Amino acid sequence: MDQAKSTDSPPTGENNKSYWRFSKQDFFPEKSFQSWATYRSALRETPLRFRDRLVGRSNDAAELGEVRKRSENEMKRCLTWWDLTWFGFGSVIGAGIFVLTGQEAHDHAGPAIILSYVASGISAMLSVFCYTEFAVEIPVAGGSFAYLRVELGDFAAFIAAANLILESIIGAAAVARSWTSYLTTLLNRPSNSLRIHTNLAKDYNYLDPIAVVVLIITSTIAIISAKKTSYVNWIASLVHSVIIVFIIVAAFAHADTSNLSPFLPYGVKGVFQAAAIVYFAYGGFDNIATMAEETRNPSKDIPLGLLGSMSIITVIYCLMALSLSMMQKYYNIDREAAYSIAFKDVGMKWAQYLVALGALKGMTSVLLVGALGQARYTTHIARSHIIPPFFALVHPKTGTPIYATMLLTFASACIALFSSLDVLASLLSISTLFIFMMMATALIVRRYYQRGVSTKPHTLKLVACLLIIIASSMGTSAYWGLNPQGWAGYVVTVPLWFAGTLGIQLFVPQCRTPKVWGVPLVPWFPSLSIATNLFLMGSLGSDAFIRFGLCTGVMLVYYLFFGVHATYDVAHGNCEETVGMQIEKVSDMEKATMKG
């Protein structure tokens, strides 16, 4: 009851302040950053503070109440399950299916690209189940960041936050560059003719100013209003749906089953390599979870919106992948604009323009919904002070986080201007898979651990079983990468995974049951999600891990010099904002006493 009450109560804070303000206190209100002396003192305490944040955890009530108040103004509850379903459709179907399908069918999977979509679709659906339970229980804008902060602690949430922001920035940049590729096809111009050629290093030598303009336009629409963005998304998605139906019907009308042979030209390993990359095509559904704060009835609307849209999308992806493989031999598929060129080659030259228009519509929706959802992630991350709380502010009239949207747009535009889709997609996939693996782990922890309820022996059993599940899943992935034709390693790793999951079911009692909607077959579904996400991560090339490792290293440096001190001060009341909230609470208590 307390959680429901805090969800409906409007954030109170200092609403008399102007939204358009840029003082030091808006960016660094924490005690550690008030002077160089206090900062040096904080740095000396870094090991102590890091240990504190490593075990520090939030709770449902804090995320729904006090943390939300840090935005000063409330986001408007204006979305229904219908909006969320179309947002799901608009946020997912874009660059992935139109660009990565051709790229991966040509390079890794061949006609078996449909199996790649099935494999990544199963993994994505398992993650959707996990997201849905959390979004119903903790309906705040932070999505997976808020959920991990509650279940796995502040440091784990920071790792998720860093990857979420990275995913948001890179995802938007990748789609924006794809937008330019399809505009080139629509105008019947040579590849890269709308980009500026430079003498920079390969994969960074084609500047894309059009991508920058598209990002600015879609972000501006998202800033105006969530409901108006939904209206624009409806129209774009409706047009997109008609074109997708045309693509599937027309493609099968020109299908040739002989193009499916050989079905596995690159072997089974190629199927999973492609699956790890095309997982990017399923990315975006988590944006729906971030809109829980603006949803009228989260317990009903979010399951319908998430599960409904993702089920339809999985079927569409498989049909589109199969139709492309039957239209052309895999080695003739164009890597940049697969569907447009495929129709041109079967004599439907005019259709390539319709397909290009549909792709542009789809990618525009992806950017539009992404600008909406990713800004909500960033808003809640800023509420925790991992990044400056200035970016948590919600505009009082629009009910949207303008500063957070501008931050992501600027960063995405800088990357989109320089980087190719090949570089972006692999880094995006590994980041997405990593977060989804953490989400599945958090769901198991939520069901089987609760402070003040779980005994020490049960907690130790849970930790041991989780370590076995994760280690065996990593072992399966590593063995696949090192010896894809072998089988002996699976005799060890698969039974270990089974034993770890069964151990949780038999020896650790559930401490919490979902109030409204829950993932079925716990712990098996989330455990399988851990295994599939880690397996797909292992199918990515070494370059993706090197880039991921470098990015993570930079993130940890940032955390040790800023994030750990800001979050420590907030947790321990050493923050101007926190003191203000405490004074406000005392004032409220005094008023209640006087009334009494």
Side-chain angles (χ1 to χ4, degrees):
M1 293 295 290
D2 293 338
Q3 290 179 12
K5 186 176 180 180
S6 58
T7 304
D8 295 329
S9 59
T12 53
E14 299 178 35
N15 290 337
N16 57 321
K17 289 184 179 180
S18 168
Y19 185 80
W20 308 105
R21 59 183 196 266
F22 308 96
S23 69
K24 178 192 171 186
Q25 289 302 113
D26 294 315
F27 286 87
F28 306 107
E30 303 86 6
K31 181 181 178 181
S32 296
F33 306 110
Q34 296 308 302
S35 67
W36 283 108
T38 57
Y39 184 56
R40 285 194 296 269
S41 176
L43 288 178
R44 286 193 292 270
E45 296 179 0
T46 298
L48 171 68
R49 294 182 172 207
F50 180 77
R51 285 195 300 271
D52 179 86
R53 295 297 80 211
L54 193 63
V55 297
R57 297 169 70 200
S58 183
N59 57 65
D60 295 13
E63 295 298 311
L64 291 164
E66 182 181 334
V67 175
R68 279 182 60 210
K69 291 179 181 179
R70 294 171 187 163
S71 287
E72 295 188 0
N73 299 290
E74 191 175 50
M75 296 182 187
K76 297 177 180 178
R77 290 193 179 275
C78 57
L79 303 177
T80 65
W81 68 269
W82 180 258
D83 297 296
L84 297 182
T85 300
W86 283 105
F87 272 140
F89 192 85
S91 69
V92 175
I93 300 182
I97 188 64
F98 285 108
V99 178
L100 293 181
T101 305
Q103 176 183 303
E104 293 306 306
H106 185 280
D107 294 349
H108 293 123
I113 186 68
I114 184 175
L115 299 183
S116 301
Y117 273 106
V118 169
S120 54
I122 291 171
S123 181
M125 191 57 74
L126 290 171
S127 297
V128 167
F129 276 117
C130 297
Y131 267 88
T132 303
E133 178 171 329
F134 273 114
V136 169
E137 297 271 311
I138 313 174
V140 292
S144 53
F145 167 74
Y147 315 147
L148 292 172
R149 194 162 178 254
V150 169
E151 299 305 332
L152 300 184
D154 265 26
F155 180 68
F158 163 75
I159 298 297
N163 279 282
L164 282 167
I165 292 176
L166 178 68
E167 178 187 327
S168 300
I169 293 168
I170 291 176
V175 176
R177 285 190 71 95
S178 297
W179 201 98
T180 305
S181 295
Y182 266 87
L183 180 62
T184 304
T185 303
L186 186 64
L187 298 176
N188 200 24
R189 294 173 62 97
S191 178
N192 289 319
S193 62
L194 297 179
R195 297 187 176 112
I196 302 170
H197 186 265
T198 68
N199 294 322
L200 297 174
K202 185 179 179 290
D203 292 328
Y204 304 93
N205 56 339
Y206 284 101
L207 304 186
D208 197 337
I210 293 175
V212 174
V213 173
V214 171
L215 283 167
I216 292 172
I217 292 172
T218 52
S219 297
T220 302
I221 295 171
I223 282 172
I224 294 171
S225 164
K227 191 65 178 180
K228 289 177 182 176
T229 303
S230 179
Y231 293 147
V232 175
N233 179 63
W234 284 0
I235 297 168
S237 296
L238 187 60
V239 173
H240 196 197
S241 301
V242 173
I243 294 173
I244 284 175
V245 171
F246 163 78
I247 291 172
I248 294 172
V249 173
F252 279 118
H254 291 82
D256 183 351
T257 54
S258 65
N259 289 330
L260 295 176
S261 181
F263 189 66
L264 291 164
Y266 300 101
V268 177
K269 183 177 182 180
V271 172
F272 286 105
Q273 280 182 314
I277 297 295
V278 301
Y279 200 93
F280 169 45
Y282 288 98
F285 70 80
D286 48 329
N287 284 323
I288 300 174
T290 69
M291 298 175 198
E293 206 167 299
E294 295 159 279
T295 303
R296 290 175 182 169
N297 186 357
S299 61
K300 170 194 166 188
D301 295 338
I302 290 174
L304 285 173
L306 262 174
L307 297 173
S309 60
M310 282 303 294
S311 300
I312 296 169
I313 287 165
T314 302
V315 174
I316 288 172
Y317 277 3
C318 291
L319 289 174
M320 290 186 70
L322 179 62
S323 66
L324 178 65
S325 300
M326 294 178 72
M327 285 178 74
Q328 281 187 309
K329 284 289 188 182
Y330 69 93
Y331 46 77
N332 290 327
I333 293 174
D334 186 85
R335 296 181 79 256
E336 294 294 328
Y339 290 92
S340 296
I341 303 303
F343 277 113
K344 182 180 178 181
D345 289 348
V346 297
M348 296 179 65
K349 186 176 180 179
W350 59 270
Q352 68 173 315
Y353 303 111
L354 186 62
V355 173
L357 179 62
L360 287 175
K361 285 282 187 182
M363 289 179 229
T364 304
S365 296
V366 169
L367 290 172
L368 195 62
V369 183
L372 202 69
Q374 291 151 10
R376 273 98 187 126
Y377 268 130
T378 307
T379 298
H380 204 77
I381 291 168
R383 287 170 176 171
S384 73
H385 288 231
I386 283 179
I387 63 175
F390 172 80
F391 297 106
L393 298 177
V394 171
H395 194 275
K397 290 184 179 179
T398 66
T400 58
I402 295 177
Y403 295 133
T405 308
M406 291 172 64
L407 172 68
L408 294 178
T409 303
F410 176 77
S412 296
C414 291
I415 293 176
L417 186 62
F418 293 97
S419 303
S420 74
L421 184 64
D422 289 353
V423 172
L424 298 173
S426 60
L427 184 56
L428 179 64
S429 290
I430 195 170
S431 178
T432 304
L433 290 164
F434 180 71
I435 293 170
F436 290 171
M437 182 276 293
M438 292 181 71
M439 280 291 297
T441 304
L443 182 66
I444 293 176
V445 172
R446 183 172 181 82
R447 290 287 195 95
Y448 290 93
Y449 173 79
Q450 190 172 359
R451 281 169 290 188
V453 176
S454 298
T455 63
K456 187 174 181 180
H458 287 151
T459 303
L460 292 174
K461 289 175 187 176
L462 176 63
V463 171
C465 289
L466 277 172
L467 289 175
I468 291 171
I469 290 169
I470 294 170
S472 60
S473 299
M474 292 174 65
T476 300
S477 180
Y479 186 74
W480 167 261
L482 295 171
N483 187 12
Q485 305 301 325
W487 57 269
Y490 305 131
V491 175
V492 177
T493 59
V494 174
L496 276 174
W497 171 85
F498 185 86
T501 310
L502 186 64
I504 293 176
Q505 185 175 29
L506 295 180
F507 303 116
V508 184
Q510 283 202 38
C511 297
R512 193 194 315 252
T513 55
K515 300 180 183 70
V516 180
W517 192 95
V519 177
L521 298 177
V522 174
W524 296 98
F525 268 19
S527 180
L528 186 60
S529 181
I530 293 171
T532 54
N533 284 310
L534 285 173
F535 184 82
L536 291 175
M537 282 179 69
S539 299
L540 292 167
S542 58
D543 287 350
F545 281 92
I546 292 170
R547 294 184 191 117
F548 181 70
L550 290 172
C551 290
T552 303
V554 172
M555 295 167 187
L556 289 174
V557 170
Y558 168 85
Y559 185 68
L560 292 175
F561 281 91
F562 177 82
V564 70
H565 306 294
T567 54
Y568 179 88
D569 283 348
V570 172
H572 293 273
N574 300 326
C575 176
E576 182 181 273
E577 170 201 88
T578 309
V579 171
M581 283 187 176
Q582 290 171 347
I583 292 171
E584 185 180 306
K585 286 179 182 178
V586 171
S587 176
D588 288 343
M589 289 174 65
E590 288 174 349
K591 288 178 183 177
T593 304
M594 290 174 66
K595 285 180 180 179

